[in-house]
Amino acid sequence: MSHNTFGHLFRVTTWGESHGRALGCVIDGCPPGLRLTEADIQVWLNKRRPGQGRYVSQRQEPDAVRILSGVFEDDAVRARFGGQVTTGTPISLIIDNTDQRSRDYADIAASFRPGHADYAYFAKYGVRDYRGGGRQSARETAARVAAGAVARKVLGETVVVRAALTQVGPHAVDRERWDWEETARNPFWCPDAGMVPVWGAHLDTTRKAGSSTGAIIEVEAAGIPVGWGAPVYGKLDAELAAALMSINAAKGVEIGAGFAAAALSGEEN
Amino acid sequence: MSHNTFGHLFRVTTWGESHGRALGCVIDGCPPGLRLTEADIQVWLNKRRPGQGRYVSQRQEPDAVRILSGVFEDDAVRARFGGQVTTGTPISLIIDNTDQRSRDYADIAASFRPGHADYAYFAKYGVRDYRGGGRQSARETAARVAAGAVARKVLGETVVVRAALTQVGPHAVDRERWDWEETARNPFWCPDAGMVPVWGAHLDTTRKAGSSTGAIIEVEAAGIPVGWGAPVYGKLDAELAAALMSINAAKGVEIGAGFAAAALSGEEN
Amino acid sequence: MSHNTFGHLFRVTTWGESHGRALGCVIDGCPPGLRLTEADIQVWLNKRRPGQGRYVSQRQEPDAVRILSGVFEDDAVRARFGGQVTTGTPISLIIDNTDQRSRDYADIAASFRPGHADYAYFAKYGVRDYRGGGRQSARETAARVAAGAVARKVLGETVVVRAALTQVGPHAVDRERWDWEETARNPFWCPDAGMVPVWGAHLDTTRKAGSSTGAIIEVEAAGIPVGWGAPVYGKLDAELAAALMSINAAKGVEIGAGFAAAALSGEEN
Amino acid sequence: MSHNTFGHLFRVTTWGESHGRALGCVIDGCPPGLRLTEADIQVWLNKRRPGQGRYVSQRQEPDAVRILSGVFEDDAVRARFGGQVTTGTPISLIIDNTDQRSRDYADIAASFRPGHADYAYFAKYGVRDYRGGGRQSARETAARVAAGAVARKVLGETVVVRAALTQVGPHAVDRERWDWEETARNPFWCPDAGMVPVWGAHLDTTRKAGSSTGAIIEVEAAGIPVGWGAPVYGKLDAELAAALMSINAAKGVEIGAGFAAAALSGEEN
């Protein structure tokens, strides 16, 4: 059994390896009549795009998305909706892999990187595309970002989802200095301007050491109506936890007060 | 809710409209280590390809399939398997639509063809890609043929699935003259050489009348092990019936003796 | 893999063997606020109940259904809805097996009945409850009838689903004499009063011969809105075909003109 | 849409409200030939059973489980397996609710408890069984425990899953004093004997204050083979996170080093 699909009514199936021809996803269950162009998706992929600074992947490629199906536009549609819209049929998105630099993968082919899924894939399937991590590369998240851009269209304007990086290595932001605007002004999506140089220095040191570092991301969703999600096994908290935990290298998920809730006690109440 | 996926362990999600940029499918759950090239799939698409005679769709295009993910090949793989193999990750297949002749669809846009799903799509979604039938075009079956070619790799050599056309309009084949070899020698996959000219004449007449005609296809699967399929709701008969009935214009499915079984009676036993 | 669930938004999972303690189902996804009592379900189970005549199973039991979850009633609910309603949580239905006559199953345990799923279950699972057919007994359909009674509540009054038996062995009803009222007046749900004695005689002969006979059922659904079902793989025709074909002994499904559509031809048009 | 099912190949659907007639689950996909009796399940339910001390729910009931389907036993089965075994068909488990004390729920019916799902259910469904929390009661986990007991049979002896309570309110165990044996000797499944009286005092204070407190549970699974779980969206970490986060009041899930991994840094490497 394999499982590359997420979601129930709005279902996303992703495909593609890091150094294959392309990667992409099929979105099944998107409502019809939503305005959707490639530019609507590209803006989010551009935020994710590698090669935009010395702190991220040096891979150089535009990650240009194409919509292959599920949208339509003619004079009547333009008159009624203002432009191209979703039709309710599967939306197929594709992103070509253009940075497949001819490289010698012989060393990777013969060894397994600690902390990666290399060995798990090999043990499970007996064969793997090891180039750049193959299917287990975090490049898979490009397809999630593309699908997420479409999901935002479904959510509309009243639900606002935004995120910030709040800790890198041992260095956490000062919440007293939190400024959402600041996240757009530095390469770390850091909401605390004072922390930016600290993280920069930390990452420089880490990279020189040939090592890596951990981090914490905080996502805020505002404007969520009461009752979203199914009860019990498909409850919103569970779905979010699964989605986040399925991202490469994610090792923990908290919602609301999270683990700090454990220490909350009625003694003082 | 939409639903463009079929299967449980070997799951196929198809996408694409008749006159969109391309169509294709994602196969999730295909076992690893199966030899698979584009040629393995193309041979089946070639059988299906339109424009091969006056009796079928006049659409002219090669229906060339490309495998975008889920396969791998290097020296080690070649040494071990003999060539490119599946890796157990999603297999993305794409077929470009090249015969998008600039046509005036204004008449189709404003009307609904009887017996087609045009109106159902429009009533359900409120907007549709009407060019060539859009998503409801039988061109969707090209993706099924491609996925089926991969499924045959899973089945291996011991299971043999083959089919013949057994009735066109009121003209049924004579089972006494059944010859499987004959199905490859005429444009109808007809197993009865004597029926070929009858069908040809019938179809010429039908086409001149600007009409269409019905037909019956018989599929034979041999070498099926006991116990395939799940019990009750996922039983093999049920899955096959659903798969066949989901093909455009299919109005009936029989298995084994089918409806004739109703007349079987113990009176004579 | 097993598969004892049917449906997508309104999902039914059935369980139970012919001679186990009980059988039943869990309905997940039923909308809240629907009036539902055990009597609403029992009326349909009573129509199905065995032991009501010499032409059907001689099993004697009331098939009394109990609702174990998913409904609620208090003063406020009564004031608002008029009585007990569904709550949107899973509805668990149970029917006790009371006719577990102590019988010698030794002969069945050691042999397989032709035309039954006995051997398939044994080959697949290696062990089976052979008493009365176990899980593969058509007694499983009691759970479907119970779930169907709840589904009718969802459909409401505008959709009318009704059925008749139209052929038994080689004897088909005369459609000129079709009378829906008649189906309630004879033990065969036969719409043709003239056919009733013919079927009675046929079944008497069949039973004396220790044999069985085939039959055809016709179901009519009226008042269906345009657009029900998902496109392509979950289309209504496909779902209905799968549901019907998953019933024990069903070998064919037709929708609309069915196989007769094959002979329809444009020659005359 | 509702969603009361968890799992893919081994699927569990739970049903039941806190003060309804009963609660239970249907397990679909359990392999055949596993020894299974009610006692195998009851031992785990007994560990969970309320009313066993002043620190837990005062509800008094035996939570006796009955297996209604999916198992079989005859002389041949006993000779081959040693006793009753699973048959591969759905396993229906039921636990009667016997502690439905006649109580005045009027106060609960008219108000919503903070931190509970009362309001979410009401807003979503418009009607709810508020008695004891209805469907949103943590009593639902009794069905999970029962299903988990069957899942342990599938895992066999080589996979060992065990858990301990590691923090209550602000009081965390001293890992230097960790003793798995100790977890069976105190009412808190606490692995640190020295912490037991601290938690007892804390809970007494909390209860007197009419309040509640948080806690952290640590689960250890040993002997897991490489490759379990599907890649990407169904990866083991994601499935576990979803399962745990779907338990009432769970607000965080960590795997491995969890959030502490964020502070791990290559600076020192």
Side-chain angles (χ1 to χ4, degrees), chain B residues 63-88:
Chain B
D63 279 355
V65 69
R66 282 177 295 143
I67 304 176
L68 298 180
S69 67
V71 292
F72 189 61
E73 180 178 16
D74 69 356
D75 288 344
V77 166
R78 270 186 295 272
R80 185 163 150 225
F81 297 100
Q84 179 174 277
V85 295
T86 60
T87 59

Side-chain angles (χ1 to χ4, degrees), chain A residues 2 4 11 15 17 21 28 32 38 66 69-70 72 74 80 87 89-90 92 125-126 128-131, chain B residues 2 4 11 15 17 21 28-29 32 38 66 69-70 72 74 80 87 89-90 92 125-126 128-131:
Chain A
S2 185
N4 293 278
R11 284 190 307 284
W15 56 268
E17 288 85 40
R21 289 180 174 175
D28 197 9
E38 286 163 355
R66 282 177 295 143
S69 66
F72 188 61
D74 68 358
R80 183 163 152 226
T87 58
T89 62
S92 178
Y125 295 122
R128 77 190 210 283
D129 178 351
Y130 43 76
R131 299 169 302 163
Chain B
S2 184
N4 293 277
R11 284 189 307 285
W15 56 269
E17 288 84 40
R21 287 181 175 176
D28 198 9
E38 287 163 353
R66 282 177 295 143
S69 67
F72 189 61
D74 69 356
R80 185 163 150 225
T87 59
T89 63
S92 178
Y125 294 123
R128 77 191 210 283
D129 178 352
Y130 44 74
R131 299 168 303 163

